[in-house]
Amino acid sequence: MTSVPATAVACVYEGVGKDIKIDEKHPVTQPQDLKAGEVLVKLEYSGVCHSDLHLWKGDFPFPLPFPLIGGHEGAGRIVAIGEGTDTSLKVGQPVGVKWVESTCMDVGCGFCSGGMDQHCLKAKMSGCMVDGTFRQYMASSAKYVTPIPENLPLEYAAPVLCAGVTSWGALKRSNTKPGDWVTISGAGGGLGHLAVQYALAIGLRVAAIDTGAEKRKLLESYGVDKFIDFRDYKDASEIIAAVKETCDGLGPHARPLASLTKPLLTEALQFLRPRGTLVAVALASNTKIEAELFGFIGKGLTIVGSYVGSRSDALEALDFVARGKVKPQVVVKPMREIQQVLETLEKGQVDGRLVLKLQD
């Protein structure tokens, strides 16, 4: 059996906006204390999501169980399995822990049995309802951890467990087919750059909205059909006109909302062609999508909410990366720099996805 320390390092949110505590001696669940159905994971990397920032800042409309370990994009290896656990998982196997840490998995639950387990009414969220992945060891549900392909480096797997599965899940629910147009705002960001790659991998045409020479270079290297620098236009109406012109003069078939830039959110539905789909993905408090009914009904538009992804979505999202069809752009930082990392994220000074290295 792999040796497991009694304590290890964890990053603890002690309250809204308070300095994050680096607990050097956080208790580690011991193998003999695991419940049936649990595995102990030695986490090596954890992605850092805007949701982690929002939770720390108190932007979500519900109270949090402080003190709380943040994080929900953890990747590591199983070091112990609870006695009596019915699983094909093995000690040493790489696995991931997602935003949805566990669900009821009851055959009588229409969500869990119907492939939409992320909507289970008994779901528990990592780094939100239960302690998350900004730590070195974590006990989690054997049925809900996600097997990671052996050939996939864990620093690249980590961001797929939220940003990747969220992007992929949104595209699956976008009512598109190969050859259709999608418009992705914030296309060079942590969520957007993955959404672009998944879209291209399944044959969609992409009009990418972002700004700057570096973002243009990155997105054009993926093969986007059009890069639209929003700073080249005076307002949202000019951007909409440029998008429509690019997309056959009609606008895109779908628009995943991976970024909540206010001017583009206000005009979100105006991008779309008739019968188009707006996929709401990114979260923020006190944010609304408004639909002018004559245009909404007359164009036959659809608004879809896409909440992270299911267990099968996560496996599919990882498979694209393992096969080299999608490559996360990651910036790896030591876990003890978590507060500086979140502050950098708040300032929007990140290209791609920030990932914490959890082991010394």
Side-chain angles (χ1 to χ4, degrees):
M1 181 180 291
T2 304
S3 176
V4 175
T7 63
V9 185
C11 304
V12 183
Y13 294 5
E14 297 200 295
V16 172
K18 292 184 178 180
D19 287 348
I20 297 171
K21 177 183 177 182
I22 306 301
D23 185 351
E24 300 283 350
K25 294 186 176 182
H26 190 80
V28 174
T29 302
Q30 295 300 291
Q32 66 271 20
D33 296 326
L34 290 170
K35 300 174 184 176
E38 288 186 331
V39 295
L40 181 64
V41 183
K42 181 180 181 180
L43 293 167
E44 297 183 28
Y45 294 93
S46 179
V48 182
C49 177
H50 265 92
S51 295
D52 298 313
L53 174 63
H54 290 311
L55 288 162
W56 179 43
K57 291 293 185 179
D59 292 335
F60 282 6
F62 47 79
L64 297 175
F66 294 118
L68 177 70
I69 299 172
H72 57 270
E73 294 182 352
R77 293 183 179 272
I78 294 173
V79 293
I81 299 174
E83 185 176 352
T85 299
D86 181 14
T87 183
S88 60
L89 296 170
K90 306 294 184 185
V91 171
Q93 183 173 347
V95 295
V97 178
K98 306 180 293 300
W99 168 251
V100 181
E101 188 270 338
S102 64
T103 67
C104 73
M105 297 305 294
D106 192 316
V107 294
C109 172
F111 301 110
C112 289
S113 62
M116 296 296 286
D117 42 279
Q118 71 270 35
H119 294 293
C120 174
L121 299 181
K122 294 182 179 179
K124 295 180 180 179
M125 315 310 172
S126 302
C128 177
M129 296 172 66
V130 297
D131 285 334
T133 60
F134 293 161
R135 53 176 157 166
Q136 294 179 323
Y137 287 85
M138 179 176 184
S140 193
S141 166
K143 289 186 176 180
Y144 219 78
V145 293
T146 301
I148 295 172
E150 285 281 359
N151 68 323
L152 180 53
L154 295 181
E155 64 266 37
Y156 292 106
V160 178
L161 295 161
C162 179
V165 67
T166 298
S167 300
W168 173 235
L171 289 166
K172 287 181 68 175
R173 295 167 187 94
S174 66
N175 300 318
T176 52
K177 61 184 184 302
D180 284 353
W181 279 99
V182 294
T183 298
I184 298 173
S185 304
L191 204 65
H193 87 286
L194 293 171
V196 165
Q197 293 180 76
Y198 283 114
L200 293 170
I202 60 173
L204 297 175
R205 303 181 69 184
V206 177
I209 302 175
D210 214 311
T211 188
E214 290 300 315
K215 296 286 181 68
R216 178 187 291 273
K217 182 179 178 181
L218 174 66
L219 294 164
E220 289 182 345
S221 75
Y222 295 150
V224 297
D225 295 85
K226 178 73 172 181
F227 176 81
I228 296 172
D229 190 323
F230 64 79
R231 294 193 186 278
D232 292 342
Y233 304 89
K234 66 180 183 180
D235 55 31
S237 64
E238 287 194 357
I239 299 173
I240 292 169
V243 169
K244 287 186 174 180
E245 181 180 358
T246 295
C247 303
D248 309 324
L250 295 171
H253 297 81
R255 183 174 179 229
L257 274 178
S259 173
L260 293 180
T261 306
K262 189 171 182 179
L264 299 185
L265 178 62
T266 303
E267 313 293 341
L269 292 167
Q270 295 185 30
F271 283 82
L272 295 168
R273 69 175 60 200
R275 304 295 297 165
T277 300
L278 179 70
V279 188
V281 183
L283 293 172
S285 61
N286 300 315
T287 302
K288 297 178 181 179
I289 296 170
E290 295 186 354
E292 188 279 312
L293 280 181
F294 279 98
F296 180 74
I297 294 171
K299 292 173 70 176
L301 301 179
T302 299
I303 301 175
V304 176
S306 184
Y307 178 56
V308 287
S310 66
R311 293 193 303 162
S312 59
D313 290 336
L315 292 171
E316 292 165 358
L318 285 165
D319 180 64
F320 277 100
V321 182
R323 291 188 290 116
K325 302 299 182 182
V326 173
K327 183 177 181 181
Q329 301 292 319
V330 302
V331 179
V332 179
K333 297 288 186 180
M335 71 180 298
R336 289 174 178 80
E337 295 182 11
I338 176 60
Q339 186 157 323
Q340 298 96 302
V341 164
L342 288 173
E343 290 167 353
T344 300
L345 191 63
E346 185 174 25
K347 295 173 184 175
Q349 298 174 341
V350 182
D351 292 336
R353 199 72 167 177
L354 284 163
V355 174
L356 299 181
K357 185 177 186 294
L358 301 177
Q359 299 295 327
D360 295 324

